[in-house]
Each structure stands twice: as structure tokens, then as C-alpha cells.
Amino acid sequence: MRLQAVTLLWRAGIAAALVCAIGVLPWLSHTDPALTVLKARSADRDPTPEVLADIRAQLGLEKGPFRLLGDWLGGLWHGDAGRSWISGSEVTPAVLQALGVSLLLMAVALVVAAGTAALICARTLRLGAGQRLDGRRAGGGGSAVLAALPEFLTASVLATVVGVQLGWLPALGWYGFQWTILPALALGLPAGAVLGRLLDDLLPGAFAEPWALAATARGLPGRTVARGALRRCLPGLLPNTGLFVVGITGGAVTVEQIYDIPGLGRTTLQAALAQDLPVLQAGTLALVLLAAVAAALAHLLTRLLIGPALRDGALPSPHRPALPARRFLPLAYGGLLLAVIAVGLPRDPLALDTAERLAAPSGAHPFGTDALGRDVLARVAHGALDTLLLALAITAVTLLTGLALGLLPRLSGPVVDTVTALPPVLVALLVTAIVGSGGTTPALAVAAVAWTPLAAHTSALLRQERAALHLTATRALGAGRWYLLRHELLPAVVPPVTRHALLRLPGVALALASLAFLGLGAQPPSPEWGLLLAENQPYAERAPWAVLAPAAVLALLGALAVTAAGGVRRHKRTAAPEATDVPEKQSEPRELVTTG
């Protein structure tokens, strides 16, 4: 109970610090809140000293940020989140309505994600149920392409083709269930592809465990064995599923913008841009509470699925057996990507030719031209240098951060839940307020949130590994904590988390692209891939090649990352040490060998 109370206080302190940081956001960015509010209310009105003084008096800005924050927190005890600085309406009903919209969209998107993940894992489940996985080769190129599709691009294509041209489904607004289908597809397909790849990575290890072999030998139906394998793998996936729940709810800003959906992510973004602090604070608090609920449900489900085995240290080893890797595919994908870059680099990405505006692909312009007549191949190739190198650097940093903090679940768990609740756009605004705008702002914003799924994955795998039978036996032979960490825990955890990080490499590039799409990343005339998509998206019907070229390169990057991750394997476990080989007591941190 004492440990739970400390964890609860730690979680509450992090949430309070976040809300306080948002409460002083205008003062951190050295902007005049009165001027920002005036522009949001009436852009045509002159910002005279009298007008600004009147707005300061209305909002009570003379009190200072901390007095305003205290008044706002005091009202929360009575369910009053204040009034909007822009519209003057009550904040609580508006935020609750936006939260309801986002929760409905999230629920439908999760159904789409679950169906996508089931399709990706169907072959492994079918082969594993009959113990026929020995000849299966590691794949995942198709799911990687799906995971690498930008949400805003998928949303735009679905809205244009399915909603406008074909007229099958409504593509704008929010008036009923039909209006949820297209945005849910745009959100659920990439999320389902990532979850499906993670689950497909765990299933072979479950089918290789003794219980599965014994069940097959006794003639139990394959469906029963497959259900048992799913039950065995879900605890390692539940933390990341909870992260997706929160990410879809608050991070669907671009999709909500495209479909004009009054969800919580869009409401929070608009409040952040207008510095409408009461709405921004209430929206952020709602996302933080949702993240805490999702984390608690994931923890409860994990306990229900394998709780006794975790407590008694009776889990079989969850290690994945080595599958024959397709070594040709990474070379083919990598060679194709390098060829595109090599052919495009000698070309000028800034050369304008208005006579060749939106020209179709030809010998002179293999990828066509954009709205200003610039060569798309040249812009894709030059943008690759910045996008790929930056995405690789961020992935490496987040992998190390996620592994390090994932080994300390009691410390990092509440931080993961809180950081996950923040849409990357809001993080970008916070980073801009603190360090200023510039080329490093998007990288810092993405790096600040991209480590959380890796830390959650590390903690989940570590919790199961510590409860494995072989670890109990090794500890009984006298192995110390550092020996267990070096020879048992890290070799079991690092490879799957590294594969996870590689799977998310295109996602990092997409996050940078999303910020550029919303105008918070690279600025023209930069050839950054996200900016290319944002600039050419309005011309997708007339010149689809201008959008498809950078999207195809992103998909190619995803396929390369997943097939290359297939070569990351756990080394063969060494034999347990003799009791005399290891000191009986060591002074390693207790956190590494206690459950989170």
C-alpha cells in the first residue's frame, strides 16, 4: 500500500507540473496574452493600448500567471474549469463534448486497428496452431508499408476518393456514426499495422513454449492453442495498446482538422494557438486523466491474464525462436532507396519552371513537378538527407532512453502515462515557448514523446522475464543481480525493443512530417518530406504524383526498417552459473529486479 501511495503521489505531481507549465505558457514564450486573445477574437481590430488594457482587465491578467492558475485550480473542486478567453462560454461542457467525440472516434478506430492487426497475424496464428512455424520466414513488408502511410495523407485520399468522388461516405463534419468511418480508417489502419507487427513478433515464442507443444500433442483443437497463444502474448502488448488509445484520442489533430471533427485534439490545438488557457488546461487535464485510466486498465488486464504466474515466478520464457530472415529484402529496399536519393541529388530542388507546373512524370522529371514547377525527385532526394538522418538520430536516442527508463518502471511508469497524453503538436508548442522556434524544435518535440512506447514495451517484457522459470532457477544457483541483468534480462529485452524501435522509425519521420504539415516544422522552401506532402496535398486530384512520391518513399523506409529488424535476434542463452561463480550478495539497484 505504501508503494502504491508513493506511485500515486508521483503521478499526481507530474500531472500538476504539466498543468502548471501550460498555465504559464504565454509568459514562457514572452508573448502578450492580451494581444493573442485579441487576434483570436477579432483579427481586424487595432491593438491599441486601451483595447489591450480592457482585455487584461476582463481576463485578470494583472494578477500574474500563478494567481490565475490558482484561481483555475480552485474552481476545479466545484467542477468549474472557468470560461473561455475567446468565446466566453463555460469550458467544462465544451471539453466534455469534445472528449465524447474523440472517445467515439477512438472506439471505432480501435475496431479498425484490431481488425488490421488480426489480418496481419492470421498467417502466424494458423501456422502456429498446427506447429508449422519452422519454415516460416520473417516478413512484414506489407504491414510496414501500411504503418508508414501518413495519417493525414490517408485521410486526404479517403476524403477525396471515397467521400467526394465516389460519394459512398460523408467526408466532412460530425453528425452521426457514418461520419466516423473514414477518419477511423485513417487512424486505425496505421495503428493496427504497428500493433499487428508487435503481436506477430511475440506469437512464435508463445507457440514454442512447452504448454503449446503439449496441447498440440494431446490433440487439442488449433483454435484453442491459438487462443492460448494470444492470451500469453497480450500482456506484453497491453501497455502499448493503452498508449495507442490515448494517442488516437488526443493526437488525431491532423485527421480532425481534415474532416472538421470537433474532437479534443483539435480543441486543444486551437486553444494552444490562441493561448486560451482555461480550455487548454482543461483539455490537457482530460487527456492526462484518460492516460491514467488506460494505464490502470492495462495493468489490471495484465494481472487478470497472467497475475498468478507473475507472482509465483512460474512463467515460461517468452523468447522468440529465430526465424530464417529474408536477407535479400533489406538489401533490395535499401538499394532502391539509395538509388532514388543518388539520382535526385544532382538535381536542383529549388529551381522554378512555371511552364512545367504540375507536369506528369517524364524522362526529364521522373517523379513529375509540383505546383511551382520544381522537380519532385530532386526535392524528395534532398529532403531525404534531413528527414532520414534526423529520424535515425531520434530513433537511436529514444531507443536508449526507452531502455534505460523501462528498466525503472516505478519511476518511469507515471512519466510515460503523462507524456503519452500530450499530442505531439502541443509538445511542439511547449518546446517552441521554452527554446524558441527553429530547425531543432520539431526534433526536440518528437524526441520528447517518442521514447514512451519503447519504455512501456521494455517494462512489460522485463516484468515477464523476471517471472520466468529459468530466471528463478538461475537466481537459486546463486546468481547476483548484475549477472541476471547482463546475462538474462538485457539479452531477452533488448532485441525485441530494438525491433520495435526500428518498426517505429517511419513513425518518427511521420511525426516530423505531421508537424511540418501543421506548419510547426520545416518552412518553405525546405524539401523536408512532411512539407512536401503539405504543399502538394491540395493538388492531389490534379497531380497525384506530387503526393505519392514522398509517400512512397516513406512506405519504402517502413519496409526497409521492418525487414532489417528481422535480423535483430537474441543470442543463445548461456548456461546458468555455478553457485560458486557469482558472489552471493551484490549492491545493484533493487529496482532492476523487483516488479513494476
Side-chain angles (χ1 to χ4, degrees):
M1 291 296 294
R2 181 181 178 183
L3 181 59
Q4 293 177 349
V6 172
T7 303
L8 183 61
L9 289 175
W10 174 232
R11 188 185 300 273
I14 295 174
L18 173 62
V19 173
C20 291
I22 291 174
V24 298
L25 180 60
W27 290 269
L28 284 176
S29 57
H30 304 290
T31 59
D32 186 357
L35 179 59
T36 307
V37 170
L38 175 63
K39 290 180 178 179
R41 288 180 178 179
S42 178
D44 298 331
R45 193 173 181 184
D46 294 331
T48 63
E50 294 78 12
V51 171
L52 295 178
D54 183 56
I55 292 178
R56 293 190 186 97
Q58 292 176 15
L59 304 180
L61 294 177
E62 295 87 353
K63 300 177 182 179
F66 298 105
R67 179 68 180 276
L68 286 174
L69 183 62
D71 293 342
W72 182 81
L73 291 174
L76 286 181
W77 293 106
H78 309 288
D80 181 13
R83 291 184 173 273
S84 169
W85 286 1
I86 307 301
S87 65
S89 59
E90 293 186 4
V91 171
T92 303
V95 169
L96 290 178
Q97 183 179 1
L99 177 61
V101 170
S102 292
L103 288 178
L104 176 59
L105 178 59
M106 176 267 292
V108 181
L110 282 182
V111 172
V112 174
T116 305
L119 290 176
I120 292 173
C121 299
R123 179 169 175 266
T124 301
L125 285 170
R126 185 178 68 254
L127 295 177
Q131 293 298 325
R132 291 180 287 124
L133 281 173
D134 291 342
R136 186 183 77 105
R137 288 185 174 271
S143 59
V145 170
L146 188 59
L149 288 177
E151 293 174 350
F152 55 84
L153 177 61
T154 307
S156 299
V157 171
L158 289 175
T160 302
V161 177
V162 180
V164 177
Q165 294 182 350
L166 300 178
W168 291 348
L169 290 168
L172 190 65
W174 186 264
Y175 304 103
F177 178 77
Q178 287 184 327
W179 278 261
T180 67
I181 297 177
L182 290 182
L185 286 172
L187 292 170
L189 289 175
V194 175
L195 290 174
R197 285 301 309 149
L198 293 177
L199 182 58
D200 196 63
D201 189 65
L202 295 172
L203 281 172
F207 282 119
E209 291 177 355
W211 67 266
L213 300 175
T216 303
R218 291 186 60 186
L220 290 181
R223 293 190 301 274
T224 303
V225 179
R227 283 198 299 268
L230 283 174
R231 181 186 177 94
R232 175 69 180 88
C233 295
L234 281 179
L237 200 63
L238 283 174
N240 274 284
T241 305
L243 299 185
F244 272 107
V245 168
V246 181
I248 289 176
T249 305
V253 179
T254 54
V255 175
E256 291 178 354
Q257 289 277 71
I258 291 171
Y259 288 98
D260 195 24
I261 298 174
L264 189 58
R266 184 184 179 201
T267 300
T268 306
L269 172 62
Q270 291 176 344
L273 294 175
Q275 293 189 355
D276 191 352
L277 290 189
V279 177
L280 178 58
Q281 291 170 159
T284 304
L285 184 60
L287 289 173
V288 170
L289 293 177
L290 177 64
V293 171
L297 288 176
H299 186 73
L300 177 62
L301 288 175
T302 300
R303 290 291 181 182
L304 290 176
L305 289 173
I306 56 171
L310 281 175
R311 182 188 63 241
D312 301 333
L315 277 177
S317 174
H319 304 152
R320 167 182 174 153
L323 298 177
R326 300 185 178 186
R327 298 180 179 178
F328 170 74
L329 287 181
L331 296 177
Y333 293 141
L336 184 57
L337 185 60
L338 289 176
V340 170
I341 296 174
V343 173
L345 279 181
R347 299 167 177 261
D348 186 357
L350 303 179
L352 302 178
D353 187 357
T354 55
E356 294 288 332
R357 293 177 65 252
L358 302 178
S362 61
H365 304 286
F367 285 0
T369 63
D370 63 8
L372 297 178
R374 294 174 297 191
D375 187 78
V376 175
L377 174 59
R379 294 184 63 75
V380 167
H382 284 265
L385 296 179
D386 295 332
T387 305
L388 289 180
L389 292 178
L390 190 57
L392 283 171
I394 293 175
T395 300
V397 171
T398 54
L399 173 60
L400 295 176
T401 305
L403 285 171
L405 294 179
L407 294 175
L408 305 169
R410 291 176 184 168
L411 173 66
S412 64
V415 181
V416 168
D417 300 337
T418 304
V419 172
T420 304
L422 297 177
V425 176
L426 180 57
V427 177
L429 292 174
L430 289 172
V431 171
T432 302
I434 295 172
V435 303
S437 60
T440 60
T441 299
L444 292 174
V446 173
V449 297
W451 62 271
T452 53
L454 303 178
H457 195 189
T458 300
S459 297
L461 294 178
L462 191 70
R463 187 179 301 114
Q464 294 189 58
E465 186 66 25
R466 283 192 300 245
L469 287 170
H470 74 87
L471 199 74
T472 304
T474 306
R475 189 185 296 113
L477 290 175
R481 293 170 182 170
W482 274 118
Y483 182 91
L484 293 175
L485 177 65
R486 292 194 309 268
H487 297 278
E488 299 292 344
L489 297 178
L490 287 180
V493 169
V494 171
V497 176
T498 303
R499 291 194 296 270
H500 185 182
L502 288 173
L503 178 63
R504 287 188 175 273
L505 174 62
V508 171
L510 287 181
L512 296 170
S514 297
L515 293 179
F517 182 81
L518 293 171
L520 298 174
Q523 300 299 317
S526 169
E528 197 271 336
W529 288 352
L531 189 58
L532 294 185
L533 291 167
E535 291 175 339
N536 296 317
Q537 189 268 336
Y539 310 98
E541 291 186 59
R542 295 173 53 193
W545 50 84
V547 175
L548 291 177
V553 178
L554 273 172
L556 183 62
L557 174 63
L560 172 61
V562 171
T563 52
V568 181
R569 293 288 179 266
R570 184 184 191 272
H571 295 295
K572 185 177 180 181
R573 187 189 306 122
T574 56
E578 298 293 338
T580 56
D581 291 342
V582 222
E584 193 170 300
K585 294 183 179 180
Q586 297 188 25
S587 58
E588 285 74 11
R590 181 177 179 81
E591 182 67 47
L592 294 175
V593 290
T594 56
T595 57

